[in-house]
Amino acid sequence: MMDWTDRHCRVFHRQMTRRALLYTEMVTALAIRHGDRERLLGFDSFEQPVALQIGGSDPKLLAEAAKWGEDYGYREINLNVGCPSDRVQTGRFGACLMAEPELVRDCLGAMRDAVRVPVTIKCRIGIDDQDEEEDFTRFVETVMQSGVTTFIVHARKAWLKGLSPKENREVPPLNYGRVYRIKQKHNHLHVVINGGIDTLDACVAHLEHVDGVMLGRAAYNTPWLLSEVDSRIFGDVRGIFDPLDVVERMKPYVSSELAKGVWLQNITRHMLGLFHGMPGGRLWRRVLSEQAPKPGAGIEVLEKAAKEVVDRINRPADVQPARPGASCAA
């Protein structure tokens, strides 16, 4: 989710769930050493719990980056060994590291030695010609030697040559069974499954076999489904019932960020899917897409987009449209 799950996105998602663990976009260990750490690592305490996802292949550098993440207050440090993009491979991190399980083990071990917060790994079930059950099992069992016990597994292989990052999310077939079986073989591991999961019904079904579920693009493209996570997954009383309430909750944050010089579009681009599949959803997206990028766009654009939704809901019709919250079923 590079360039997607920035701090504005996380504040938005946190309006709908207090319990889900949110992850940053992947930040390279080298950037953390030499870059603007406040820009790269800073976040609002409202976003907690948040995990920092980092990339790299130098144990010493990763340990240093992990310590910076802990110092900034992240609850977990995650090493990404699943991203297949060309720029990631060029830097020798991401999915290509699945070909070097001993190096991954050493990286994670160094990170664990540097911090007190949990260190976890995100990986694929294999890369390129690694297509045997034994290859994935060998990778997991080698990495386990680092002491890391949480594996977040995208249940697809990654083809490092010949497929784009987008194709790598869609073309290689899903193999949930392989993830289930690694949990069965090593029951003490905390296994989180990822890939092609787009409803809470599917999440509940997966939780019969593994310990957790990671949502990526489903949470981004249809964020309202997060409003049922606390009640359906964690058993809490549902705290929010209408996406229009989310808009109201976002206003103070948006106003504060605008005052710092942040462009409205940088925030609202993450909110485009809030009314996906609901009355007024297209009007909401159109107003934000057309007006938020304009210089000087302010909170009035958000209010106008919300008003379009309300007007659409209240528009006379043979059958009165349901309130947005009532029309969304996970």
Side-chain angles (χ1 to χ4, degrees):
M1 304 294 285
M2 293 173 69
D3 301 322
W4 290 38
T5 54
D6 61 20
R7 65 180 73 182
H8 305 311
C9 177
R10 297 192 302 267
V11 167
F12 170 53
H13 285 176
R14 187 56 78 204
Q15 308 296 336
M16 291 167 279
T17 170
R18 294 303 309 160
R19 298 290 299 276
L21 176 63
L22 302 181
Y23 283 75
T24 69
E25 54 193 329
M26 184 174 66
V27 185
T28 68
L30 196 61
I32 293 172
R33 171 182 281 181
H34 297 292
D36 181 345
R37 292 195 191 102
E38 180 58 31
R39 181 181 64 81
L40 294 169
L41 300 181
F43 64 96
D44 192 302
S45 60
F46 175 75
E47 300 169 37
Q48 290 282 25
V50 187
L52 172 65
Q53 186 173 100
I54 58 180
S57 58
D58 182 318
K60 183 178 179 180
L61 190 57
L62 285 166
E64 180 184 297
K67 186 66 173 68
W68 275 109
E70 181 181 53
D71 290 347
Y72 262 82
Y74 287 97
R75 303 284 181 84
E76 173 186 312
I77 311 296
N78 176 262
L79 178 64
N80 186 308
V81 188
C83 182
S85 74
D86 290 339
R87 61 172 170 163
V88 164
Q89 293 180 56
T90 301
R92 197 181 171 217
F93 53 90
C96 64
L97 286 178
M98 290 197 69
E100 302 180 76
E102 290 82 8
L103 176 58
V104 175
R105 174 198 62 201
D106 295 344
C107 288
L108 290 166
M111 292 165 67
R112 289 189 73 244
D113 288 343
V115 299
R116 294 183 298 275
V117 296
V119 173
T120 66
I121 179 174
K122 185 174 190 293
C123 63
R124 296 277 185 136
I125 58 172
I127 56 172
D128 297 336
D129 294 327
Q130 290 181 349
D131 200 26
E132 299 296 330
E133 194 92 10
E134 303 84 62
D135 291 322
F136 181 54
T137 301
R138 187 179 307 112
F139 175 82
V140 171
E141 292 178 347
T142 301
V143 171
M144 280 168 45
Q145 297 167 13
S146 68
V148 164
T149 57
T150 296
F151 286 75
I152 303 165
V153 186
H154 187 148
R156 283 188 174 94
K157 287 176 55 180
W159 284 100
L160 303 182
K161 301 295 182 183
L163 292 181
S164 69
K166 181 178 186 298
E167 290 169 330
N168 261 304
R169 296 191 298 268
E170 300 169 353
V171 175
L174 287 159
N175 189 338
Y176 295 133
R178 186 169 294 179
V179 184
Y180 295 167
R181 288 189 291 276
I182 205 68
K183 172 62 181 179
Q184 292 166 358
K185 183 175 177 64
H186 297 287
N187 190 55
H188 72 285
L189 294 180
H190 186 85
V191 177
V192 179
I193 200 165
N194 171 240
I197 304 167
D198 56 11
T199 68
L200 291 190
D201 285 342
C203 291
V204 170
H206 282 299
L207 288 172
E208 294 292 321
H209 305 278
V210 292
D211 305 291
V213 178
M214 174 180 276
L215 296 178
R217 280 153 186 82
Y220 192 93
N221 295 327
T222 56
W224 181 243
L225 68 80
L226 294 174
S227 68
E228 294 193 49
V229 165
D230 292 0
S231 57
R232 292 198 60 189
I233 305 300
F234 295 98
D236 292 350
V237 175
R238 187 175 179 184
I240 187 167
F241 296 89
D242 192 322
L244 288 168
D245 294 337
V246 176
V247 179
E248 290 300 314
R249 292 185 181 193
M250 282 295 292
K251 284 183 181 179
Y253 176 79
V254 172
S255 296
S256 174
E257 292 299 300
L258 292 175
K260 298 175 186 176
V262 174
W263 280 49
L264 182 65
Q265 180 190 26
N266 291 343
I267 304 172
T268 57
R269 72 186 182 96
H270 303 299
M271 302 174 64
L272 293 176
L274 179 58
F275 295 91
H276 178 82
M278 304 179 197
R282 291 183 180 178
L283 295 170
W284 165 263
R285 290 193 301 274
R286 187 177 71 188
V287 172
L288 293 185
S289 297
E290 293 177 355
Q291 299 188 25
K294 295 180 179 179
I299 198 74
E300 71 280 353
V301 175
L302 199 61
E303 293 172 339
K304 179 179 179 181
K307 184 177 184 300
E308 292 280 5
V309 173
V310 172
D311 289 348
R312 172 64 182 82
I313 293 169
N314 294 331
R315 187 177 303 159
D318 293 338
V319 178
Q320 182 69 17
R323 289 285 283 171
S327 65
C328 180

